[in-house]
Amino acid sequence: MKRNLCISTAVSVVLMAGGPVAVAAAATADTARTLVPAVAVQADVTAEGAAAAAVKHYPGVVESLDKDGDVWHVDVISKDGKGHAELEVSASGTVTEQNRDTDENAAENKALVAAKVTAEDAMKAALAAHPGQVWSVSWDDDEDGDAHTWDVEVRSPDGKTWNAQVDHATGKVTQSGSADGDGNDEDGDN
């Protein structure tokens, strides 16, 4: 009985110490090669992710967002309309504050802060109309201050750029058109 107990204990110790080593030794070179590139891949933050990261850093309403290389430039207006932050969001989602003002004219930002449709909502509406990736979104008032829309640029998988205007109250895509890769619309007049 003691002999069986000693043998069982010895086998258990060998398996516990040697098991992970045996498994690691059994891994093929192909497995090791496929794991290295997966670790090296860096996530690229989408427009939606950049907006969420910016608002988490500086609570408020996204006024504009655009991609420049691997960096998103995001302008956020505070919920009371008096504050403004210029932020950069890296491909990994890190937020860097470039500038912050606390003396904005709240009356100028009243329509943006009160808009039923946020920049995030406008991006969703534009993507529903034109699948792809949002490249920019910005709040737009006409000169008399009555009409407010979101201008959203979407790049489709085939490389075409779509410019959509999204109504600030309904979220409806009210106007859209395609542009070529140079930023000019199809008839070339930008």
Side-chain angles (χ1 to χ4, degrees):
M1 175 80 171
K2 285 185 182 181
R3 181 172 173 243
N4 288 342
L5 182 60
C6 288
I7 292 172
S8 297
T9 303
V11 169
S12 296
V13 169
V14 169
L15 287 175
M16 287 186 339
V21 174
V23 169
T28 65
D30 288 335
T31 303
R33 277 187 288 239
T34 58
L35 292 178
V36 173
V39 173
V41 173
Q42 182 177 7
D44 189 20
V45 172
T46 63
E48 297 85 348
V55 171
K56 182 177 181 183
H57 178 85
Y58 186 83
V61 180
V62 172
E63 177 184 33
S64 68
L65 173 143
D66 66 278
K67 189 167 187 175
D68 183 16
D70 289 340
V71 177
W72 289 96
H73 298 279
V74 186
D75 286 338
V76 180
I77 301 296
S78 63
K79 293 179 183 180
D80 65 2
K82 296 179 182 178
H84 172 246
E86 295 174 15
L87 309 170
E88 286 186 356
V89 181
S90 71
S92 65
T94 304
V95 179
T96 305
E97 196 167 301
Q98 300 300 307
N99 189 25
R100 184 187 288 215
D101 294 324
T102 56
D103 59 352
E104 292 284 313
N105 182 348
E108 288 180 12
N109 297 318
K110 184 178 178 182
L112 169 64
V113 172
K116 292 181 181 179
V117 176
T118 64
E120 295 84 347
D121 297 333
M123 288 188 277
K124 288 178 189 173
L127 288 173
H130 303 289
Q133 182 182 13
V134 172
W135 216 253
S136 70
V137 61
S138 62
W139 178 253
D140 188 23
D141 324 345
D142 67 1
E143 289 186 22
D144 62 7
D146 292 335
H148 306 286
T149 59
W150 288 102
D151 292 330
V152 184
E153 180 182 335
V154 176
R155 294 195 181 171
S156 62
D158 64 1
K160 289 185 179 179
T161 300
W162 294 91
N163 297 308
Q165 287 188 336
V166 181
D167 184 88
H168 79 288
T170 64
K172 182 178 177 185
V173 177
T174 57
Q175 177 182 352
S176 65
S178 68
D180 64 24
D182 298 329
N184 295 324
D185 60 17
E186 290 175 338
D187 61 4
D189 65 359
N190 204 12

